[in-house]
Amino acid sequence: MRSLFLVFVFLMGSWAKAQTGDTLQIARQDTTLTAFSGRGLVSPRFIIQPNRVVYQKDAATSLVLTANPKTFRLSTKDYTRRFGLDDQGVYFDGQFVPVDTTGFQVIGERRDPEYKAPTKYYWKTRDHLFLDTQEITDIDVASFKMLYSSADRYTLDKNQVFYLGKKLPNVAPASVIYLNEARISDGKIIYEMGEPLRYKGETITYVNNYLGKTKSVVLNLQTLQPIPAMDAASLQSLSKSYAMDHKNIYYGLTKINIPHTARKNIKIWETGNYHWIKVGTKIYLGGLLCEFSLDAASFGTIPHSDYYYDKKGIYYRKWDEELQKVIQCKIPFHYSISVNDKTVALAYASRFLAYSNQVYDILENKVYTNVAPNQLALVKNGTQHIAPINGKLYPCKIYDYKLVEAMGAIYWGDHITQADATTFRMGYPYCSDKTHTYVYNRNHGLQVVENVPQLVYEKYQPYATDNEYVYLNNTRTIKKEGVVLHAIYEGYRPGCGLDKHPSSDFYLFENKEGFWCIQVSQTVTYNFIGKTLPVRTSDKP
C-alpha cells in the first residue's frame, strides 16, 4: 500500500491542484475545449489503459508499448519517470530491455560536460548494469554507484573508478576524494576530467580540498594560481579543510592566528556544515576563535549533524533575528551522565537525538523524558518509521507529516481518528476506508465528507472513480463506464513566482458516450468532443 501511494503521489506532480473543500464539486462545461487543447504532451509519462500501455516520450511523441498492462508497474526506485516494468523486462524511454527486474533501481545520470549530447541514465537490476539500453559488462553490479551525486561524471565499483565510463588506472576506489564534478583525488594525485592535473608541466599533488602543490609551489585549487606565502616543501594536510606548513596553520586559504608553540595538541572535526579545530585549550570554528565558551577537553561533535557538545551539554547554533547575530542554544536535556559519542546518538533520519533515557525531537523542539528501553532502542535502530504520540514513541506507517498508522489505528498527531486502519487508503484530496470518505488537511486532520461516495484510486492513474463517475481532484466529471485515459496535454505554466495565473493540464478521455476533453486548473471543466476524434489539420495528407 505504501509503495502504491508513493507512486500515486509521484505521478501527480504535473497536476494543477484545485482548492480542497469538504463539499463535492461538479465540473462545468466549457465549449471552447477541443481534442487538441494544450501545448504538447505532458512528458515523460506512462498511461496504463485496459489493453495497452502508452508512453508520452516528449511533447510531440506518444508510443504504444508492447508491455503487459496487467503486470505493468512503476518503481519508487525511479526518479526520472522514464522507466516502467512488467513481467518480461524494463521499458526505458519507450525502448524494451528483456531482463529480470529483481532489484531494479535507477542509479544516476551521465551528462555530457559540453551539453552537446542527450543525458544518459545508469540503472541496474540484481545481476545487470545498463546505460540507457546498453549493458555494461566487466563491472561489479552490486557495488556500482555514482561517486557523490546522481549526476556525477565519476562512478566506481569496489574495484575500479571511472570518468564518463573510462577506467582510471591505479586509482583505488577506497582512496577517492571528491572535489567537484570534474575533479577527484586519490589522496596523492589530483585528476581533472579523468586526467592528472598539471601546473607548468608538473603533476599537482593533493594537500586538501582547497590546496594543491608541486615540488616548488603551493596552488589555490580554485584558480590554479600560486600562493607565495605558503611553503611547498613543508606544507602538509591536516584534514580536507586544514593544512600546516612550518610557519602557520591554514583554514582553506586563510592563515589562522595560532601560536607555533600551541600546535602539538591538534584535533579536527569536520561534520555537517561546520569545521572545528581544537588547538591546546582553544576551540576554533573555521578559521576564527569560537565566540562561545566551550570546554576544550570534553569538546566533540555528533557525526552527520551540526550538533556539538562539551561536558556541560549539547548545543546548536542559530541566527537570532531580533539580536541580528548567531546565538548558541543548549538542548534542554536533564544532564546526569557524561556527554560523549557513546552516550549521544542521532537517530531515525536525523529527526531524534537520544541521550541517556531521553529523546529530543528536533522537528518539534521537544524533549521526551524517561523513555522506555524498548522505545529508545527503536529510535537508535534507525530503520523503522517512528511517530511521537501522547508523549511516547511508536513504530508507525507514515501517510503525511502528522497522519500515521500506529498501534492498529490512524492518528493525526496525538489524536486517534475514526478511520479504519485495515482498509484506510490515502488519496488527494480524498482518503477513504470501508465506511467513510475523508478530506485531509494538515492543519485540521481527517474530516468525514458525507456527500462524497466511496472513491477508488486507480493504479498509477491521476484520477479516482466511484460506481458511476470519474473524479479529478475534488470534482466529479464524466461517467465511468468504458473510461480510458488517452493522453495528458500541458496547459499553462506560471512563468515566475509573481505570475498568479493558475497552472492547468488537459486530459483526453474516452468513455461509452465518446471522447471528452477535461481541463484541470483552479476549477475543473469539460467538453464533449464527439463519438470519434477529429483529425488535426496538420495531420491530414
Side-chain angles (χ1 to χ4, degrees):
M1 181 73 75
R2 175 65 176 168
S3 62
L4 294 184
F5 165 62
L6 287 174
V7 171
F8 179 73
V9 173
F10 174 69
L11 283 175
M12 291 178 62
S14 64
W15 277 37
K17 300 296 189 298
Q19 294 292 323
T20 297
D22 58 0
T23 59
L24 175 65
Q25 305 295 315
I26 298 177
R28 61 178 179 82
Q29 186 175 16
D30 180 353
T31 57
T32 65
L33 298 177
T34 73
F36 310 114
S37 294
R39 298 184 296 183
L41 296 167
V42 172
S43 62
R45 183 70 177 257
F46 290 96
I47 298 176
I48 300 92
Q49 299 175 348
N51 299 311
R52 65 180 188 174
V53 177
V54 174
Y55 176 63
Q56 298 186 168
K57 179 182 175 72
D58 54 44
T61 308
S62 181
L63 305 173
V64 177
L65 306 182
T66 59
N68 181 350
K70 291 182 172 57
T71 61
F72 189 84
R73 63 195 186 278
L74 304 179
S75 173
T76 56
K77 301 292 186 180
D78 169 30
Y79 66 90
T80 71
R81 298 194 294 181
R82 298 177 184 274
F83 291 85
L85 291 70
D86 70 2
D87 56 337
Q88 299 299 313
V90 174
Y91 298 81
F92 164 70
D93 212 28
Q95 301 175 77
F96 177 60
V97 180
V99 65
D100 182 353
T101 61
T102 303
F104 170 85
Q105 64 173 304
V106 178
I107 302 170
E109 306 167 13
R110 182 194 285 184
R111 298 179 182 174
D112 180 4
E114 297 181 356
Y115 298 97
K116 294 180 178 179
T119 297
K120 296 179 180 290
Y121 295 90
Y122 289 104
W123 59 278
K124 69 180 180 179
T125 61
R126 180 185 60 193
D127 302 315
H128 302 275
L129 174 69
F130 295 85
L131 183 64
D132 285 0
T133 59
Q134 179 181 355
E135 184 168 6
I136 300 173
T137 57
D138 299 323
I139 202 84
D140 182 73
V141 175
S143 62
F144 182 85
K145 64 179 182 178
M146 313 301 288
L147 175 58
Y148 184 74
S149 72
S150 62
D152 267 338
R153 302 177 193 175
Y154 290 93
T155 57
L156 69 162
D157 66 12
K158 66 180 183 179
N159 302 311
Q160 308 164 94
V161 179
F162 306 88
Y163 177 77
L164 296 180
K166 177 184 175 183
K167 181 180 177 180
L168 276 61
N170 305 317
V171 178
S175 68
V176 172
I177 301 167
Y178 176 86
L179 298 177
N180 59 43
E181 62 178 8
R183 289 182 187 173
I184 63 168
S185 174
D186 61 359
K188 299 176 183 177
I189 297 173
I190 297 174
Y191 295 86
E192 183 171 72
M193 300 180 70
E195 300 291 338
L197 185 62
R198 306 188 192 286
Y199 176 76
K200 293 186 177 180
E202 289 189 71
T203 299
I204 301 174
T205 58
Y206 175 81
V207 177
N208 62 23
N209 289 7
Y210 299 88
L211 303 170
K213 69 176 184 176
T214 65
K215 293 179 180 179
S216 59
V217 64
V218 177
L219 298 163
N220 177 339
L221 284 183
Q222 184 175 357
T223 63
L224 291 187
Q225 294 299 309
I227 306 176
M230 296 186 188
D231 178 65
S234 63
L235 186 69
Q236 59 181 298
S237 174
L238 295 176
S239 71
K240 291 182 179 181
S241 302
Y242 293 93
M244 178 174 68
D245 64 13
H246 70 282
K247 298 178 293 183
N248 301 298
I249 293 177
Y250 305 93
Y251 174 66
L253 309 176
T254 305
K255 183 179 74 171
I256 306 175
N257 294 318
I258 297 174
H260 183 80
T261 55
R263 295 194 222 162
K264 293 182 180 180
N265 300 311
I266 292 177
K267 188 170 182 179
I268 294 170
W269 297 265
E270 293 178 325
T271 181
N273 295 307
Y274 299 130
H275 300 157
W276 303 85
I277 181 170
K278 178 175 74 173
V279 183
T281 60
K282 297 185 182 298
I283 299 288
Y284 294 80
L285 178 58
L288 300 174
L289 187 65
C290 181
E291 67 270 46
F292 303 118
S293 176
L294 294 166
D295 178 65
S298 58
F299 180 85
T301 65
I302 298 173
H304 314 297
S305 78
D306 292 338
Y307 294 95
Y308 54 98
Y309 60 84
D310 66 8
K311 65 181 181 181
K312 295 173 287 186
I314 303 170
Y315 313 94
Y316 62 94
R317 299 163 62 89
K318 76 171 187 178
W319 175 257
D320 187 293
E321 190 65 30
E322 184 177 345
L323 298 176
Q324 286 292 295
K325 68 176 184 178
V326 172
I327 62 173
Q328 178 172 270
C329 302
K330 185 177 181 179
I331 295 178
F333 286 130
H334 173 63
Y335 293 97
S336 57
I337 61 175
S338 174
V339 179
N340 56 56
D341 56 5
K342 293 182 176 59
T343 60
V344 179
L346 187 66
Y348 176 51
S350 300
R351 174 174 176 175
F352 297 107
L353 196 62
Y355 162 76
S356 183
N357 63 344
Q358 304 165 76
V359 173
Y360 175 61
D361 187 337
I362 295 169
L363 200 59
E364 298 291 344
N365 190 27
K366 181 178 181 180
V367 172
Y368 296 89
T369 59
N370 299 316
V371 178
N374 63 323
Q375 293 185 342
L376 200 61
L378 188 69
V379 172
K380 291 182 177 180
N381 180 268
T383 59
Q384 170 71 57
H385 291 298
I386 300 168
I389 300 173
N390 294 315
K392 294 185 178 181
L393 305 172
Y394 297 95
C396 72
K397 177 180 181 179
I398 297 176
Y399 290 108
D400 198 75
Y401 169 47
K402 288 186 176 181
L403 190 66
V404 303
E405 178 185 330
M407 300 175 286
I410 302 296
Y411 283 83
W412 176 66
D414 291 333
H415 307 287
I416 190 169
T417 72
Q418 69 182 78
D420 176 68
T422 305
T423 58
F424 183 76
R425 177 72 180 264
M426 188 73 179
Y428 287 95
Y430 295 117
C431 311
S432 63
D433 63 12
K434 65 182 181 181
T435 308
H436 297 291
T437 295
Y438 308 88
V439 64
Y440 174 66
N441 181 286
R442 283 191 172 186
N443 296 322
H444 302 101
L446 287 175
Q447 296 177 333
V448 175
V449 186
E450 299 294 350
N451 61 340
V452 175
Q454 289 290 96
L455 299 181
V456 176
Y457 288 89
E458 304 293 338
K459 185 178 181 181
Y460 305 132
Q461 299 287 20
Y463 62 87
T465 60
D466 64 11
N467 291 332
E468 292 187 72
Y469 293 97
V470 173
Y471 293 80
L472 287 165
N473 286 8
N474 61 339
T475 306
R476 191 180 78 186
T477 60
I478 62 176
K479 290 185 177 180
K480 172 186 175 181
E481 187 176 2
V483 71
V484 176
L485 174 62
H486 284 287
I488 307 173
Y489 294 92
E490 184 177 296
Y492 186 79
R493 294 291 184 268
C496 66
L498 298 177
D499 186 350
K500 302 305 180 183
H501 192 284
S503 60
S504 61
D505 280 327
F506 298 89
Y507 294 77
L508 180 62
F509 277 97
E510 180 185 5
N511 66 6
K512 189 178 180 180
E513 298 170 273
F515 291 89
W516 304 79
C517 178
I518 300 177
Q519 178 181 233
V520 177
S521 186
Q522 281 187 331
T523 59
V524 178
T525 56
Y526 70 90
N527 194 30
F528 181 65
I529 305 301
K531 289 287 186 180
T532 60
L533 280 177
V535 178
R536 193 192 298 258
T537 303
S538 60
D539 295 337
K540 293 181 179 180

